[in-house]
């Protein structure tokens, strides 16, 4: 919803439809943000379905997924409290009293137990704390989550094989973002598109920038179409942010309204970008854009290579059956319906899982097998690669790479 539509929750309930009739009702549909973050006058009844959507890190498939999961008793009591803030009310729970006491946890799991730990581990390593297993966490995360974090940082080159911080890792730790995004920024200067990657990372770090109100879905899709790039959602984000940045400051709000873009998210993205640009400058990165003419003609191929340099572990391969299989973890997935990728490319990189009616991957961009074997041969090691259709493609790519390198050597 647009911010203007969201503000409608604070409006008074409508008057009676007929003189002397019953007063109108105001119905608010909310996520679990309403548990604690705001109070709305006049709420008398609360309907609690007993579920919430949470971002949970799964160390086995190395991805953060959006999962619908049961709430805790503490959250249920918070929801109940919404009804009695300004006047007496009632809470209707769509589950039994027995489920409340027997099935729901007493309190919500601490976020550290369901979060990706790579950023925390990188920070601890920078502080000189090496014994992570015995570190005095208030709520210790699972050892498997810590091991996955160490493994990920090693693949990214932030830690060496002994588990010590590398020079690259030290620089990455200065960027207050996920290490994969930090690696993407560090590598982007080699592809001549560091400013473009920072813009993309900024848009990925804020709530969804595109609005799609149900009653105006067609108009919203048409507005978004002017920014869409057929090779991926990340490139679409870049096009939208670039168009927003080209607008005079005093006209940006109206531009967002006309193009179904979330003005608040764009402002946040601008602030994140400014911060990342400042840190990158201090780190001595070569801050350049691939849009040499300044008219939005980006070098999208170079940008996709830079994206691959950071996200080579979150890749899926299209099987003959038409669905996708994630690399190494062998999870069958489908492209999310909201993706801008127009065709069914052989290889894609993705930002997150969305487990709804199917295992969807979201924020998707096409990549190439040639880039994967050149950029991350240590990860795409054929000896340790599971048997699947992708392995044959990788073998061919390695042969082509060896042949091209042999030809270059002869030419010299």
């Amino acid at each position: 919803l647009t911010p203007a539509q969201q503000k409608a929750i604070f409006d008074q309930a409508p008057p009676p439809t007929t003189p002397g009739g019953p007063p109108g009702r105001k119905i608010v549909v909310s996520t679990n943000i309403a548990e604690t973050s705001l109070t709305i006058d006049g709420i008398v009844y609360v309907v609690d379905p007993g579920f919430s959507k949470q971002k949970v890190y799964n160390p086995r498939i190395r991805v953060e997924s959006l999962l619908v999961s049961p709430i805790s008793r503490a959250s249920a009591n918070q929801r109940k409290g919404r009804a009695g803030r300004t006047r007496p009310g009632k809470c209707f729970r769509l589950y039994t009293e027995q489920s409340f006491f027997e099935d729901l946890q007493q309190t919500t799991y601490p976020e550290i137990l369901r979060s990706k730990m790579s950023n925390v581990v990188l920070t601890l390593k920078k502080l000189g704390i090496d014994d992570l297993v015995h570190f005095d966490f208030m709520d210790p995360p699972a050892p498997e989550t810590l091991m996955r974090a160490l493994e990920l940082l090693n693949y990214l080159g932030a830690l060496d094989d002994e588990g010590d911080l590398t020079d690259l890792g030290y620089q990455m730790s200065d960027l207050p973002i996920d290490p994969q995004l930090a690696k993407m920024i560090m590598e982007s200067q080699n592809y001549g598109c560091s400013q473009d990657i920072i813009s993309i990372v900024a848009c990925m770090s804020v709530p969804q920038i595109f609005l799609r109100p149900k009653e105006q879905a067609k108009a919203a899709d048409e507005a978004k179409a002017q920014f869409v790039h057929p090779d991926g959602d990340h490139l679409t984000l870049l096009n939208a942010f670039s168009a927003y940045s080209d607008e005079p400051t005093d006209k940006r709000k109206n531009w967002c309204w006309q193009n179904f873009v979330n003005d608040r998210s764009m402002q946040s993205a601008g602030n994140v970008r400014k911060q990342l640009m400042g840190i990158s400058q201090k780190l001595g990165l070569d801050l350049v854009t691939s849009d040499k003419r300044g008219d939005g003609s980006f070098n999208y191929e170079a940008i996709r290579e830079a994206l691959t340099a950071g996200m080579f572990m979150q890749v899926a391969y299209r099987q003959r059956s038409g669905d996708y299989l994630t690399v190494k973890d062998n999870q069958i997935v489908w492209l999310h319906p909201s993706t801008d990728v127009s065709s069914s490319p052989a290889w894609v990189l993705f930002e997150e899982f969305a487990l709804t009616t199917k295992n969807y991957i979201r924020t998707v961009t096409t990549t190439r097998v040639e880039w994967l074997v050149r950029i991350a041969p240590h990860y795409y090691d054929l000896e340790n690669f599971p048997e699947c259709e992708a392995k044959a493609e990788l073998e061919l790519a390695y042969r082509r790479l060896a042949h091209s390198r042999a030809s270059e050597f002869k030419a010299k």
Side-chain angles (χ1 to χ4, degrees):
L1 296 178
T2 63
Q5 288 173 309
Q6 290 178 37
K7 284 178 184 173
I9 63 170
F10 298 108
D11 296 345
Q12 291 292 321
T17 52
T18 56
R25 288 193 171 186
K26 175 171 71 173
I27 300 174
V28 178
V29 181
S30 174
T31 64
N32 54 331
I33 193 173
E35 282 179 21
T36 55
S37 300
L38 76 167
T39 297
I40 304 166
D41 282 345
I43 294 295
V44 183
Y45 304 107
V46 166
V47 179
D48 174 16
F51 292 97
S52 67
K53 192 175 275 189
Q54 291 183 330
K55 189 172 273 192
V56 178
Y57 178 68
N58 185 335
R60 295 194 182 162
I61 57 174
R62 298 175 246 223
V63 200
E64 286 187 316
S65 311
L66 281 170
L67 295 177
V68 175
S69 51
I71 60 171
S72 65
R73 294 203 291 274
S75 290
N77 288 330
Q78 283 286 352
R79 293 181 179 193
K80 177 183 71 174
R82 298 293 97 192
R85 288 290 183 214
T86 56
R87 55 188 283 195
K90 287 184 180 179
C91 176
F92 297 92
R93 289 175 171 157
L94 305 186
Y95 45 94
T96 64
E97 187 176 14
Q98 185 180 359
S99 288
F100 177 81
F101 287 108
E102 294 181 8
D103 298 335
L104 302 188
Q105 297 285 335
Q106 185 174 352
T107 56
T108 306
Y109 282 115
E111 194 168 349
I112 195 170
L113 300 183
R114 49 187 169 85
S115 296
K116 193 174 177 180
M117 290 294 292
S118 49
N119 214 341
V120 175
V121 169
L122 190 59
T123 303
L124 291 174
K125 286 285 184 182
K126 187 181 181 181
L127 294 171
I129 298 163
D130 291 319
D131 189 2
L132 300 174
V133 176
H134 297 104
F135 181 72
D136 193 17
F137 289 103
M138 288 180 69
D139 294 285
E144 187 180 3
T145 307
L146 288 173
M147 291 305 296
R148 283 295 192 192
L150 290 166
E151 183 185 51
L152 180 140
L153 292 169
N154 178 247
Y155 278 131
L156 291 176
L159 299 179
D160 60 22
D161 291 342
E162 304 300 318
D164 297 322
L165 204 62
T166 62
D167 291 340
L168 174 64
Y170 196 86
Q171 287 185 305
M172 284 166 59
S173 67
D174 283 342
L175 291 161
I177 50 177
D178 185 273
Q180 286 175 277
L181 302 181
K183 174 69 181 286
M184 203 190 295
I185 290 175
M186 300 301 298
E187 290 293 322
S188 60
Q189 60 182 341
N190 301 326
Y191 300 95
C193 58
S194 47
Q195 288 189 32
D196 312 329
I197 290 294
I198 288 173
S199 297
I200 292 170
V201 169
C203 290
M204 291 165 68
S205 305
V206 300
Q208 181 64 256
I209 67 169
F210 293 110
L211 299 169
R212 196 174 185 266
K214 208 166 189 178
E215 66 278 5
Q216 295 174 286
K218 189 177 179 185
D221 290 342
E222 287 171 359
K224 186 183 178 184
Q226 63 188 311
F227 311 118
V228 164
H229 193 285
D231 284 338
D233 303 327
H234 298 89
L235 309 180
T236 299
L237 291 175
L238 175 62
N239 289 342
F241 186 82
S242 174
Y244 170 82
S245 302
D246 289 342
E247 288 293 311
T249 308
D250 59 333
K251 293 182 180 178
R252 287 178 179 175
K253 195 163 191 173
N254 188 50
W255 180 90
C256 286
W257 182 80
Q258 290 176 341
N259 290 284
F260 293 88
V261 169
N262 190 328
D263 178 50
R264 197 176 298 166
S265 291
M266 278 302 201
Q267 287 182 40
S268 298
N271 293 334
V272 171
R273 184 181 189 276
K274 188 177 178 182
Q275 184 185 1
L276 293 177
M277 288 284 283
I279 296 169
S280 300
Q281 205 164 12
K282 285 179 186 173
L283 291 173
L285 297 190
D286 187 17
L287 296 174
V288 292
T289 176
S290 64
D291 180 16
K292 302 301 181 189
R293 295 201 296 267
D295 59 356
S297 54
F298 297 100
N299 183 346
Y300 293 110
E301 186 162 314
I303 293 167
R304 282 163 54 217
E305 276 195 78
L307 288 167
T308 305
M311 297 175 68
F312 57 82
M313 281 177 274
Q314 289 177 206
V315 169
Y317 170 76
R318 180 169 50 81
Q319 302 185 101
R320 292 189 194 96
S321 55
D323 50 28
Y324 283 81
L325 196 71
T326 58
V327 164
K328 284 201 173 182
D329 306 308
N330 287 354
Q331 296 283 314
I332 295 175
V333 293
W334 284 263
L335 301 185
H336 195 271
S338 65
T339 185
D340 300 321
V341 175
S342 58
S343 58
S344 297
W347 296 83
V348 294
L349 49 87
F350 59 91
E351 174 61 18
E352 65 178 1
F353 266 73
L355 306 180
T356 52
T357 50
K358 288 182 177 179
N359 287 356
Y360 286 116
I361 49 176
R362 287 210 305 202
T363 317
V364 173
T365 290
T366 62
T367 187
R368 292 183 188 166
V369 66
E370 294 83 9
W371 298 343
L372 295 171
V373 297
R374 179 167 48 78
I375 291 168
H378 55 299
Y379 186 73
Y380 291 90
D381 175 16
L382 293 177
E383 286 185 15
N384 300 314
F385 206 85
E387 290 298 329
C388 58
E389 292 175 25
K391 189 168 184 177
E393 287 288 321
L394 288 166
E395 286 171 347
L396 281 172
Y398 273 116
R399 281 187 211 138
R400 288 195 295 267
L401 182 65
H403 180 72
S404 66
R405 283 178 176 168
S407 301
E408 286 174 15
F409 183 75
K410 285 177 184 175
K412 288 178 182 177

